[in-house]
Amino acid sequence: MLPPGPPIPPLLQTLRWSFRPLAFMQGCRERYGDAFSVKFLGFETPMILISDPAAIKALYSERSHGMPSGRNLTLEPIMGPRSLLLLEGADHLAHRKLMLPPFHGERMRSYEPVVAEILAAEIESWPLGEEFAIHPRMQAVTLEVILHVVFGVTGGARLQRLRELLGRLLSDTASTGVMLSALLSRRFGGRGPWARFQRLIDQVDEQLYAEVAERRADPELEERDDILSALIQARFEDGERMTDSDLRDQLITLLLAGHETTATALAWSFDLLLRHPEQLGRLRDSLEAEEDEYLRATITESLRLRPVVPVAGRRLATELEVAGHTLPPGTDVAPAIWLTHTRADAYPEPFAFRPERFLEEGPDTYAWIPFGGGIRRCLGAAFAEFEMRIALREILTRCELQKADPRPEKVGRRNITLSPRDGTRVVLTARPPAHEHDLVAA
Ligand code: HEM
């Protein structure tokens, strides 16, 4: 027997999940506890949401579980069949092994100057004394970072063309209306929204294949430090390299998985920080002292309280015990990330924004899961946190910001993310003189 769930039709559950996701989940937790079934429109079987770290550990530790249902349907037409997000089994593991090294450790540090430069240019474009939404500004930053650091496109007509085409692709894929009409009209072939969307993908692909061909021929390929150049040179265990279409699918995957998510996480960090002057002051003091413990704790705490992705599920390959129920193979099970992050037994005062809670000790692996877990854990997690550290540091040392509306941002849905509904509107009240690093460099 599956755990119980709200006795309302799938349409109503889908609407509540779409428009009031936190209230919907909180209501289910109060009524049903650590595990409950939800039924969403378009899915034949229920999804079991869980929030007990022990059950989440059991779920994520079993490597044989598959992808949750529905992922292929929505992602494959855009990301392509070789996307890391869609591969399974040995093929998935082989790709992860090949793709992980450029996202780790020392490599990251070499990207710092270019990310800081992108932020400096972005900040210069902000109007003084006028209200603006910071979420779209963070999207512009994360797109630019991906173009430079991941794709390694640094200038000229191709950068301009890709910026424009990918901007359109990102806004189309973020719009439920555009995606729904595109997917529904797919069966009508040459006409309508699907055909328009397909033409855009073809144009993007043309640019990406041209970039891959030029990069393969670059005599200085070995010296380059962007991620595409690393992927071109990397070999699978059998000695083979990725094909052009494999590379194309991974580039689009990295763009779509890394752009909106990181921009949204930053927009939430500003919503939280600008409403908590004591924590903001402490963060500013620590940045002035060139320390990053408080900065890291702030990012951990924002991702806890406002996780960007609400669920990261699996389709069971073997039985799973949760909250007294034995779930059979084939069941879709997903950790409800926000519910897990707001458990009073894991986090005292769970709804308070207190970065201090992470100063002494980092979070528990299965009670802090903004990046999912196990063999499908976010490939770009370290990269996202690195980019967030630089963005918060550059913005808070170069800008005095205030929230335009002092109330907390409401949670809205954008594509698969939980996003600040009004984009976190802010006012730039002052641009203090360039900070010490710039003075030294000057
Ligand atoms: C704050 C920002 C981000 C958040 C919250 C986030 C969250 C997630 C989550 C929840 C998953 C699914 C994990 C699972 O199924 O267990 C995931 C997967 C993934 N993410 Fe991220 N992500 C972020 C940034 C990035 C960035 C910057 C990149 C790359 C540039 C990236 C690339 C990926 C990829 C390739 C996967 C698929 C991994 C696999 O299936 O093996 N993500 N991410």
Side-chain angles (χ1 to χ4, degrees):
M1 267 266 285
L2 299 179
I8 53 174
L11 173 65
L12 272 183
Q13 299 197 36
T14 311
L15 288 174
R16 287 200 184 162
W17 171 253
S18 302
F19 293 105
R20 307 228 23 229
L22 302 193
F24 176 67
M25 284 191 274
Q26 176 73 355
C28 290
R29 161 158 65 194
E30 280 163 12
R31 187 134 181 222
Y32 307 108
D34 286 345
F36 50 90
S37 303
V38 289
K39 280 192 198 136
F40 294 141
L41 221 53
F43 291 85
E44 275 165 23
T45 51
M47 173 160 73
I48 316 306
L49 291 184
I50 59 174
S51 55
D52 171 15
I56 293 171
K57 181 176 183 185
L59 178 73
Y60 280 158
S61 306
E62 175 52 63
R63 289 176 159 222
S64 63
H65 296 325
M67 279 184 320
S69 57
R71 193 181 271 191
N72 276 71
L73 187 74
T74 47
L75 299 186
E76 193 180 321
I78 307 156
M79 295 190 178
R82 308 293 297 154
S83 162
L84 184 69
L85 265 162
L86 301 175
L87 293 176
E88 298 218 66
D91 218 3
H92 172 253
L93 273 186
H95 273 73
R96 259 185 94 88
K97 239 182 184 167
L98 184 136
M99 291 175 71
L100 259 172
F103 284 98
H104 267 283
E106 281 300 299
R107 187 83 185 227
M108 213 72 77
R109 263 187 230 151
S110 68
Y111 308 138
E112 182 158 347
V114 61
V115 178
E117 226 172 85
I118 289 168
L119 275 144
E122 172 59 36
I123 292 166
E124 280 309 305
S125 75
W126 292 353
L128 200 60
E130 278 173 39
E131 195 179 314
F132 65 97
I134 209 165
H135 187 213
R137 301 325 313 151
M138 294 300 97
Q139 290 171 322
V141 166
T142 56
L143 174 58
E144 214 57 23
V145 168
I146 287 178
L147 281 168
H148 284 78
V149 173
V150 178
F151 292 15
V153 184
T154 49
R158 170 117 5 99
L159 177 64
Q160 191 49 35
R161 181 90 178 115
L162 270 172
R163 196 184 275 138
E164 187 246 325
L165 287 170
L166 295 176
R168 271 168 51 202
L169 180 72
L170 290 165
S171 82
D172 278 7
T173 48
S175 155
T176 313
V178 173
M179 283 324 289
L180 214 59
S181 56
L183 289 169
L184 289 176
S185 68
R186 201 176 170 189
R187 67 179 69 171
F188 300 117
R191 289 159 174 273
W194 174 252
R196 264 198 304 282
F197 186 65
Q198 192 55 52
R199 269 198 301 279
L200 175 60
I201 297 212
D202 290 345
Q203 288 171 306
V204 168
D205 286 357
E206 191 186 325
Q207 296 297 317
L208 291 181
Y209 283 124
E211 188 64 35
V212 169
E214 269 175 39
R215 197 66 58 79
R216 283 195 193 280
D218 186 342
E220 283 165 21
L221 179 66
E222 280 177 31
E223 281 85 64
R224 295 186 60 117
D225 58 11
D226 57 87
I227 290 173
L228 171 59
S229 297
L231 296 183
I232 285 178
Q233 294 171 81
R235 286 175 191 275
F236 293 108
E237 270 172 5
D238 62 6
E240 290 295 313
R241 293 201 161 109
M242 276 200 209
T243 60
D244 284 3
S245 66
D246 206 336
L247 285 163
R248 176 267 172 216
D249 288 0
Q250 308 317 337
L251 288 178
I252 292 289
T253 300
L254 294 172
L255 169 75
L256 291 175
H259 162 266
E260 179 80 22
T261 43
T262 314
T264 305
L266 280 164
W268 279 125
S269 300
F270 284 107
D271 175 56
L272 291 162
L273 277 168
L274 299 179
R275 289 190 290 109
H276 292 88
E278 197 187 316
Q279 281 78 5
L280 177 61
R282 200 167 167 189
L283 177 57
R284 281 189 193 282
D285 290 346
S286 75
L287 292 172
E288 210 153 287
E290 295 191 22
E291 288 162 5
D292 75 356
E293 285 89 354
Y294 200 82
L295 177 59
R296 285 172 187 269
T298 300
I299 291 168
T300 309
E301 179 69 342
S302 324
L303 288 168
R304 178 187 74 83
L305 216 42
R306 289 289 179 265
V308 173
V309 178
V311 289
R314 303 283 182 268
R315 171 157 281 193
L316 297 187
T318 54
E319 281 183 352
L320 181 75
E321 291 288 329
V322 292
H325 302 267
T326 304
L327 307 180
T331 313
D332 283 324
V333 183
I337 299 179
W338 180 79
L339 288 181
T340 310
H341 288 182
T342 50
R343 289 177 71 92
D345 59 358
Y347 301 103
E349 290 184 75
F351 301 103
F353 177 66
R354 289 206 298 109
E356 290 74 12
R357 67 173 91 236
F358 293 118
L359 281 178
E360 299 285 296
E361 241 180 286
D364 178 75
T365 310
Y366 296 100
W368 188 81
I369 46 165
F371 298 108
I375 51 159
R376 301 204 85 100
R377 186 174 188 269
C378 176
L379 189 83
F383 185 74
E385 290 184 284
F386 155 85
E387 190 177 346
M388 288 179 75
R389 283 198 294 280
I390 300 178
L392 288 174
R393 187 192 70 203
E394 291 299 312
I395 293 169
L396 293 175
T397 50
R398 288 167 187 264
C399 302
E400 291 291 339
L401 289 174
Q402 280 177 7
K403 267 205 87 196
D405 178 346
R407 287 171 301 180
E409 275 278 343
K410 293 206 167 74
V411 179
R413 282 187 68 90
R414 246 178 90 86
N415 203 355
I416 59 144
T417 59
L418 297 181
S419 175
R421 201 180 287 173
D422 294 321
T424 309
R425 299 190 70 77
V426 298
V427 180
L428 173 64
T429 54
R431 248 192 278 261
H435 62 77
E436 230 176 284
H437 303 292
D438 294 344
L439 295 177
V440 172

